[in-house]
Amino acid sequence: MQQRDEELLNFDTSTLEDWDPARARTALHGKNGALYRNHLHIALLLDQWATAESRRTDIDARYKAGYVQALADMAAFLRQTYYLPEGEE
């Protein structure tokens, strides 16, 4: 079952440098809406992965912090429409 827009867009935007809710809504309903929905779903999975990794105690703290940050950055880029075909939100 496809998630509703509100579920896909229910995340903390305070750390996103380029968050534009209007751009996100336009992308959801535009030519590449299915692709953007997929990106938002992947971002949710990346958040879950980052949370799980942040709880690990068997790895170096600096490595863990970098790994968690990389997952968060990927989720942010996906949410901010960076990986949609250019000019086709």
Side-chain angles (χ1 to χ4, degrees):
M1 181 191 311
Q2 183 170 300
Q3 292 177 295
R4 297 177 318 145
D5 293 357
E6 293 75 28
E7 293 171 316
L8 291 171
L9 296 172
N10 185 21
F11 52 85
D12 180 15
T13 60
S14 65
T15 61
L16 301 180
E17 293 180 16
D18 188 28
W19 177 247
D20 181 344
R23 184 178 66 218
R25 292 274 176 191
T26 299
L28 275 174
H29 301 288
K31 177 180 176 183
N32 293 294
L35 178 60
Y36 186 50
R37 285 177 190 286
N38 179 259
H39 289 182
L40 291 173
H41 180 72
I42 292 169
L44 288 170
L45 297 175
L46 289 170
D47 285 345
Q48 292 169 1
W49 187 2
T51 298
E53 288 296 322
S54 71
R55 294 183 182 135
R56 288 183 62 181
T57 59
D58 62 328
I59 56 176
D60 178 74
R62 288 186 347 195
Y63 173 84
K64 178 174 61 174
Y67 194 67
V68 168
Q69 184 63 53
L71 292 169
D73 288 348
M74 273 308 302
F77 296 155
L78 288 165
R79 287 179 168 131
Q80 293 173 118
T81 71
Y82 289 1
Y83 296 116
L84 293 178
E86 192 170 330
E88 298 180 23
E89 284 92 21

